[in-house]
């Protein structure tokens, strides 16, 4: 059974701080890794994708991938109250179906 | 560019009934995937359609079935509804190439009474 594990949280950080979200996965054949943001009552929104080891930066977001450790993380710099949401880690392999973690709820305190 | 659209937005059914949910893929996307998201959980993969054929299925019973049409739009059908089928049903579209992200519609909230 392919599994994706996330810290369930909730995670609270003050405005302007760095939020760090972590994810581990069980399938070594996984090829693609995604972070989605989901506001309460809304659908998941893609914010980052990463496919090779190392860091990928996009604005205030940095995704980190370590395939040897089967670990993916998302850093949010200068966190804003509008970043308060549930963050979903998703992994796919050759089958191209997404396996999601249960999500980490982030609250950014003004 | 038109995004993924789903209908209806909300639906209330009773146990034993049947339901059909609809999805139009994002412009240019030829692959549609369906997910079920229970409250407080991550989405669970139901199945994926490509070229009007089922192209992968998750751990869901046969009463969950689907279709894809030549214009890449798709339907999810659920027969003999059970209380546990109450969830947010999400459709996602993508290109059928490696490393292509999936983009989600707004979902259909299904409530079973």
């Amino acid at each position: 059974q392919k599994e994706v594990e996330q810290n369930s949280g909730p995670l609270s950080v003050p405005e302007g701080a760095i939020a760090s979200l972590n994810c581990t996965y069980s399938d070594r054949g996984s090829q693609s890794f995604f972070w989605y943001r989901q506001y309460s009552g809304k659908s998941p929104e893609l914010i980052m994708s990463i496919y090779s080891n190392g860091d990928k930066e996009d604005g205030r977001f940095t995704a980190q991938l370590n395939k040897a450790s089967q670990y993916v993380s998302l850093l949010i710099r200068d966190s804003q109250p509008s970043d308060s949401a549930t963050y979903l880690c998703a992994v796919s392999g050759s089958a191209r179906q997404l396996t999601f973690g249960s999500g980490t709820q982030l609250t950014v305190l003004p | 560019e038109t995004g993924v659209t789903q209908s209806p937005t909300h639906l209330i059914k009773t146990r034993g009934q049947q339901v059909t949910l609809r999805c139009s893929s994002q412009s240019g996307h030829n692959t549609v995937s369906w997910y079920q998201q229970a409250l407080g959980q991550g989405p669970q993969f139901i199945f994926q359609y490509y070229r009007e054929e089922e192209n992968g299925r998750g751990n869901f019973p046969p009463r969950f079935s689907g279709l894809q049409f030549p214009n890449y739009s798709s339907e999810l059908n659920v027969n003999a509804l059970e209380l546990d089928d109450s969830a947010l049903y999400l459709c996602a579209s993508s290109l059928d190439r490696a490393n292509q992200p999936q983009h989600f519609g707004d979902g259909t909230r299904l409530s079973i009474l």
Side-chain angles (χ1 to χ4, degrees), chain B residues 85-102:
Chain B
D85 295 334
S86 295
L88 179 67
Y89 287 84
L90 295 161
C91 171
S93 73
S94 61
L95 291 170
D96 183 51
R97 291 184 211 148
N99 298 337
Q100 290 299 306
Q102 296 183 18

Side-chain angles (χ1 to χ4, degrees), chain B residues 41-102:
Chain B
Q41 301 296 316
Q44 297 292 313
F45 175 72
I46 302 175
F47 42 56
Q48 184 180 87
Y49 277 84
Y50 171 64
R51 291 186 175 178
E52 303 177 52
E53 298 280 338
E54 188 178 285
N55 185 38
R57 187 179 183 93
N59 189 26
F60 280 81
R63 60 189 185 85
F64 285 78
S65 63
L67 287 172
Q68 186 181 32
F69 301 98
N71 66 353
Y72 307 131
S73 67
S74 177
E75 287 182 354
L76 164 65
N77 299 291
V78 187
N79 294 323
L81 286 166
E82 301 177 359
L83 293 178
D84 284 349
D85 295 334
S86 295
L88 179 67
Y89 287 84
L90 295 161
C91 171
S93 73
S94 61
L95 291 170
D96 183 51
R97 291 184 211 148
N99 298 337
Q100 290 299 306
Q102 296 183 18

Side-chain angles (χ1 to χ4, degrees), chain A residues 8-66:
Chain A
S8 59
L11 174 65
S12 293
V13 300
E15 185 174 355
I18 296 175
S20 178
L21 306 163
N22 304 315
C23 172
T24 59
Y25 59 95
S26 63
D27 182 9
R28 286 197 171 274
S30 300
Q31 301 172 353
S32 306
F33 307 86
F34 306 95
W35 284 98
Y36 287 84
R37 177 177 62 199
Q38 188 172 29
Y39 292 113
S40 181
K42 302 296 185 181
S43 65
E45 173 193 10
L46 179 70
I47 54 171
M48 288 290 287
S49 58
I50 188 166
Y51 308 108
S52 55
N53 282 330
D55 295 359
K56 179 181 178 182
E57 186 175 318
D58 184 0
R60 296 186 296 111
F61 299 98
T62 299
Q64 300 173 317
L65 173 61
N66 184 326

